[in-house]
Amino acid sequence: MKIVVIGGTGLIGSKTVERLRKQGHDVVAASPNSGVNTITGEGLADALAGAEVVLDLANSPSFEDKAVLEFFETSGRKLLAAEKVAGVKHHVALSVVGTERLQESGYFRGKLAQEKLIKASGIPYTIVHSTQFMEFLGGIAQSGTVGQTVRLSPAYVQPIVSDDVADVMADVALSPPANATIEISGPERARLSELVARYLKAMKDPRTVEADAEAKYFGARLNDQSLVSDNNPRLGSITFEQWFAKTAQPK
């Protein structure tokens, strides 16, 4: 069947597209570079013509509070309206575990707005809440860096690798709509500050990590429940050590 992947050239999108194409589906990897823009609406009608399933894997190019909210609201409205016209039968969106708990953060407010639009659209849907990606540990370290010190929350996280996320997204795309939110997470929990310290040490990065319960995570204060799933999540199979040994060796 025809499946459109919005954000189909990104980290998760490109891997999901590859998996679906290997199974013989007609997959459109849609992005502004391919002439499909969910903010302006450019190319949407043509891309969605005949599509049965749409996966929305796009992310805001800015994490500034106002910009990220405008992105998810505008993109969500344009995309869902175009799907109604095209007769799309299943809308799949990737969101974040903890979205509803972290409304202190502008990014999570934007994701919650996106989810509300999906639920109100009338289009059958599945929302996938994922824990943080292991591939973003470096970016998380950078977000807490001042000089040679990285100040991060010691709250628990349960990161998942992008390959495991892509496996789930492809599976959900080929399954009936759940009309609900499902959760996915990595197989292990660790404290964010300790995990990033291990990551930096393995990368031979000279920065030191300080655990600080008041340190903000993209604008929000964390607790031990904020970024982990206790809602019977589907677990990824790749541990931090396995992922690092394969893909994150220091250059």
Side-chain angles (χ1 to χ4, degrees):
M1 60 182 166
K2 181 177 178 181
I3 301 171
V4 177
V5 181
I6 305 295
T9 58
L11 174 65
I12 305 299
S14 59
K15 293 183 177 186
T16 304
V17 166
E18 178 186 15
R19 284 157 172 74
L20 291 169
R21 283 179 175 163
K22 280 184 177 178
Q23 296 186 59
H25 297 285
D26 175 15
V27 185
V28 176
S31 69
N33 287 340
S34 71
V36 181
N37 191 314
T38 57
I39 298 299
T40 65
E42 176 194 2
L44 267 181
D46 287 343
L48 296 180
E52 294 186 45
V53 179
V54 172
L55 280 77
D56 186 1
L57 307 180
N59 206 359
S60 173
S62 169
F63 278 32
E64 189 274 324
D65 285 2
K66 184 179 178 183
V68 75
L69 181 61
E70 287 181 352
F71 174 86
F72 284 120
E73 287 189 330
T74 302
S75 176
R77 287 194 181 102
K78 290 272 178 70
L79 179 57
L80 291 163
E83 288 180 30
K84 276 194 170 182
V85 173
V88 170
K89 297 178 175 63
H90 188 186
H91 178 95
V92 182
L94 180 61
S95 193
V96 189
V97 164
T99 289
E100 68 287 347
R101 297 190 286 268
L102 294 172
Q103 289 298 292
E104 186 183 356
S105 162
Y107 182 81
F108 289 97
R109 289 196 296 272
K111 292 302 290 183
L112 187 62
Q114 178 192 32
E115 292 182 24
K116 287 179 177 178
L117 288 170
I118 293 166
K119 292 174 182 178
S121 70
I123 299 170
Y125 71 91
T126 305
I127 295 171
V128 179
H129 271 189
S130 173
T131 53
Q132 186 56 271
F133 308 149
M134 288 190 197
E135 286 84 353
F136 288 173
L137 288 176
I140 292 170
Q142 190 58 40
S143 73
T145 296
V146 177
Q148 288 297 299
T149 301
V150 184
R151 197 163 270 105
L152 292 173
S153 169
Y156 278 117
V157 292
Q158 197 162 344
I160 186 170
V161 300
S162 59
D163 282 323
D164 282 340
V165 177
D167 286 342
V168 171
M169 297 313 296
D171 181 59
V172 170
L174 301 177
S175 301
N179 292 312
T181 300
I182 66 172
E183 296 194 347
I184 61 175
S185 66
E188 301 172 302
R189 289 187 182 183
R191 297 199 175 277
L192 179 62
S193 52
E194 294 173 4
L195 184 57
V196 171
R198 287 164 58 196
Y199 172 80
L200 294 179
K201 181 179 179 181
M203 294 293 287
K204 303 191 186 319
D205 189 309
R207 288 177 289 175
T208 58
V209 177
E210 289 187 8
D212 180 357
E214 298 301 319
K216 297 290 185 71
Y217 178 85
F218 299 104
R221 188 179 183 276
L222 302 178
N223 60 42
D224 282 346
Q225 290 74 46
S226 298
L227 292 174
V228 297
S229 174
D230 289 313
N231 190 27
N232 193 29
R234 293 174 60 166
L235 296 179
S237 61
I238 302 172
T239 66
F240 174 79
E241 282 76 14
Q242 289 169 333
W243 167 75
F244 186 81
K246 184 177 180 182
T247 64
Q249 292 299 321
K251 297 184 171 100

